[in-house]
Amino acid sequence: MSTVRRKFGDEYQAVGPARSGTRRERQRFVDKNGRCNVQHGNLGGESSRYLSDLFTTLVDLKWRWNLLIFLLTYTVAWLVMASMWWGIAYLRGDLHRAHDDTYSPCVANVYNFPSAFLFFIETEATIGYGHRYITERCPEGIVLFLFQSLLGSIVDAFLIGCMFIKMSQPKKRAETLMFSHAAVVSQRDGKLCLMFRVGNLRNSHMVSAQIRCKLIKSRQTPEGEFLPLDQCELDVGFGTGADQLFLVSPLTICHEINSKSPFFCLSQRSLRSEQFEIVVILEGIVETTGMTCQARTSYTEDEVLWGHRFLPVMSLEDGFFRVDYSQFHATFEVPTPPYSVKEQEENLSLSSPLNSPGNNNKTRREQVCSLDCIDTAGEKNKLPFKLQKINLRKEDLPRRALRMSSMVVACQLRGLRISFIVIKGFLYFTVCNSHLCHLTHTSSRKHKDCLSCPKLDPSTRSGGSHVEF
């Protein structure tokens, strides 16, 4: 494993100036212009696979090799076919009797190899000057003419198609897609984020543009296996759709650093000693040609600026928005905590008294008692309804359920109390009504309505003066 680590670790730190005087810039996996620094060697017998896909092999070659193959193929084909026409004329003896007017040759006016070559070019390019032509008394010439037509069509289709695909490749379209020179780390919406900027210099749009990020970093597994240049995905909004871009103006791509991010433990101090590379891949369909285009770049740890933010480049003009690309790569410093997200969460958990273990070990009975105390204090203080509502929103689900159950019990008790008060009032009203009827009867002996009062003595009904309650 030391050999593998030395091969991929030390060589991966290689060349050039760096941020400090003692540190050297290492070899990139992907250059800033998107070229991948990977070479395939020791293929052995696998090299024959390139010939099985000859068309793609020719398209992938550089332009100088494509032009050389193009010229050599046509030159060799022309010379071979011209030699075949000259050979037919030589074998038939047409070269010696070409000026005899009574003789009918295979190809008229072919005297030597240059004239045979000119006849082939005129036939292949369908120029047809009319001076040289094939006669009907040459069956071998007719067969060669058919073979020449088929072979010429195949060679033209292959080479011209290869050159057309080579010229129409959307690689040059990627030259007008810009990436910021550096990436920045700062806070956005209260969260620590890694950000970089992309832009499109052309007015034609990139249809279905999508961006992806890969973290290239060597690591060692818990089992002891060393993984050189291990690739890890960086989330730039895959779940929310933020990775789908409408690239008509420069956009700032954001990667939120959280517990799922590979930079969860990254701080300003550890950034100086880390070794990683962030590969950015932007894909989309070219609006004018309909072909897929891909642009790539990368950021090493030396190109990540902690506590910086990009300058705005958009401004509102008279009837349109203007993009100032002179400020595309410019950044400025902003206050940013130098700690990692992991350290910030640990400090927050230690400083919060509600998250201590003693508070988490309360029994259910203590929680119910505390809720009862809260309810009693709420009834005494009689907080406004809005404050009670805000307080309820802050409570968690178990506490809210207990609170609702206690409120239901309280409402039932209050209902029983109200029922008891109503019954008591009804009885009190009945007694008072009976007493009033008795007083009225004693004052006027002839009152007949009070005879129905059940509390009067029978002697009262018959006209007696004695009354009992």
Side-chain angles (χ1 to χ4, degrees):
M1 183 182 9
S2 60
T3 306
V4 176
R5 186 185 297 275
R6 182 170 57 254
K7 182 176 181 180
F8 289 95
D10 297 343
E11 291 184 0
Y12 195 56
Q13 308 182 20
V15 197
R19 189 185 313 181
S20 60
T22 58
R23 185 174 179 178
R24 296 177 299 172
E25 183 182 357
R26 56 175 174 76
Q27 179 64 45
R28 288 179 176 271
F29 187 68
V30 177
D31 286 338
K32 297 294 286 184
N33 59 2
R35 185 178 65 88
C36 299
N37 292 320
V38 177
Q39 293 183 0
H40 303 281
N42 297 328
L43 296 178
E46 303 297 332
S47 300
S48 59
R49 295 177 180 266
Y50 290 102
L51 297 178
S52 61
D53 189 10
L54 184 59
F55 186 81
T56 305
T57 302
L58 293 177
V59 172
D60 289 340
L61 291 176
K62 295 183 179 181
W63 270 107
R64 53 178 176 266
W65 298 113
N66 276 104
L67 293 176
L68 179 61
I69 292 174
F70 186 85
L71 295 176
L72 288 178
T73 302
Y74 273 109
T75 302
V76 171
W78 292 346
L79 292 176
V80 170
M81 294 303 300
S83 301
M84 295 179 70
W85 285 110
W86 179 83
I88 291 176
Y90 178 79
L91 293 177
R92 286 175 56 90
D94 296 344
L95 301 179
H96 304 286
R97 304 175 59 181
H99 298 283
D100 189 359
D101 296 335
T102 61
Y103 180 74
S104 178
C106 180
V107 180
N109 301 315
V110 173
Y111 312 112
N112 47 28
F113 182 80
S115 60
F117 183 79
L118 290 176
F119 170 74
F120 165 76
I121 294 298
E122 293 174 9
T123 305
E124 179 67 22
T126 63
I127 298 174
Y129 293 115
H131 183 64
R132 298 179 180 87
Y133 55 91
I134 188 172
T135 62
E136 66 278 3
R137 297 182 181 181
C138 183
E140 60 271 19
I142 297 175
V143 173
L144 183 59
F145 174 76
L146 295 176
F147 175 75
Q148 173 187 331
S149 300
L150 294 175
L151 181 63
S153 300
I154 294 174
V155 173
D156 290 342
F158 190 83
L159 292 182
I160 295 176
C162 178
M163 298 298 291
F164 176 77
I165 295 297
K166 184 75 173 177
M167 290 185 293
S168 61
Q169 276 187 327
K171 290 184 178 180
K172 294 302 179 181
R173 178 65 176 89
E175 299 293 335
T176 55
L177 297 175
M178 293 182 61
F179 297 92
S180 58
H181 291 161
V184 298
V185 176
S186 61
Q187 286 187 328
R188 171 178 283 189
D189 297 329
K191 301 176 183 178
L192 195 65
C193 299
L194 172 71
M195 294 173 284
F196 57 91
R197 179 178 278 175
V198 296
N200 182 16
L201 296 180
R202 288 189 180 273
N203 292 328
S204 59
H205 300 168
M206 292 288 294
V207 181
S208 301
Q210 183 180 12
I211 195 163
R212 296 183 292 117
C213 292
K214 293 284 187 179
L215 176 64
I216 310 297
K217 183 179 179 180
S218 301
R219 68 181 184 92
Q220 186 173 0
T221 63
E223 295 80 11
E225 180 184 4
F226 180 70
L227 301 178
L229 306 180
D230 184 44
Q231 299 184 15
C232 178
E233 188 77 18
L234 292 181
D235 186 12
V236 288
F238 178 76
T240 60
D243 59 332
Q244 305 290 333
L245 306 181
F246 183 54
L247 198 58
V248 296
S249 63
L251 298 177
T252 300
I253 310 301
C254 178
H255 165 68
E256 179 184 343
I257 302 178
N258 49 28
S259 58
K260 298 181 180 179
S261 172
F263 299 128
F264 182 59
C265 302
L266 183 67
S267 63
Q268 186 177 8
R269 178 179 298 179
S270 62
L271 180 62
R272 303 172 184 173
S273 58
E274 287 285 342
Q275 290 187 1
F276 61 85
E277 184 173 348
I278 302 171
V279 179
V280 181
I281 305 171
L282 175 61
E283 292 179 335
I285 300 175
V286 182
E287 187 180 32
T288 54
T289 62
M291 303 183 70
T292 303
C293 173
Q294 185 181 95
R296 297 182 295 267
T297 191
S298 67
Y299 301 100
T300 60
E301 68 279 355
D302 296 328
E303 297 169 343
V304 177
L305 306 179
W306 189 283
H308 283 246
R309 187 178 298 166
F310 289 106
L311 284 174
V313 295
M314 294 285 294
S315 61
L316 179 60
E317 300 292 340
D318 187 11
F320 61 93
F321 292 94
R322 182 180 181 86
V323 180
D324 183 12
Y325 278 99
S326 63
Q327 304 293 332
F328 184 83
H329 306 285
T331 62
F332 63 97
E333 294 186 6
V334 292
T336 304
Y339 308 104
S340 65
V341 177
K342 181 180 180 180
E343 294 173 348
Q344 295 180 22
E345 292 183 356
E346 291 177 352
N347 295 336
L348 183 61
S349 61
L350 293 176
S351 61
S352 177
L354 297 177
N355 296 329
S356 60
N359 294 331
N360 294 332
N361 295 329
K362 288 185 178 181
T363 61
R364 182 180 181 87
R365 184 174 180 180
E366 292 175 351
Q367 294 178 358
V368 173
C369 293
S370 62
L371 288 174
D372 293 339
C373 295
I374 292 174
D375 293 338
T376 305
E379 291 180 359
K380 291 181 179 180
N381 296 331
K382 294 183 178 180
L383 295 176
F385 177 73
K386 291 185 178 180
L387 295 181
Q388 294 179 6
K389 191 174 182 180
I390 294 174
N391 192 21
L392 285 174
R393 289 178 180 176
K394 294 182 179 179
E395 295 175 345
D396 52 350
L397 185 59
R399 183 172 296 180
R400 189 178 299 175
L402 292 174
R403 185 181 181 89
M404 292 297 294
S405 62
S406 61
M407 289 175 64
V408 170
V409 174
C411 291
Q412 292 177 355
L413 293 176
R414 290 172 184 172
L416 294 175
R417 183 178 178 184
I418 291 173
S419 301
F420 177 74
I421 292 173
V422 170
I423 296 172
K424 184 177 179 181
F426 176 74
L427 294 176
Y428 180 74
F429 174 75
T430 305
V431 173
C432 291
N433 189 19
S434 301
H435 182 62
L436 180 61
C437 292
H438 170 67
L439 293 178
T440 306
H441 178 72
T442 53
S443 59
S444 59
R445 301 284 183 172
K446 298 180 179 180
H447 194 273
K448 297 180 179 180
D449 296 335
C450 291
L451 294 176
S452 62
C453 183
K455 296 296 183 178
L456 295 178
D457 191 77
S459 61
T460 306
R461 299 176 186 175
S462 62
S465 59
H466 181 71
V467 180
E468 291 183 1
F469 289 94

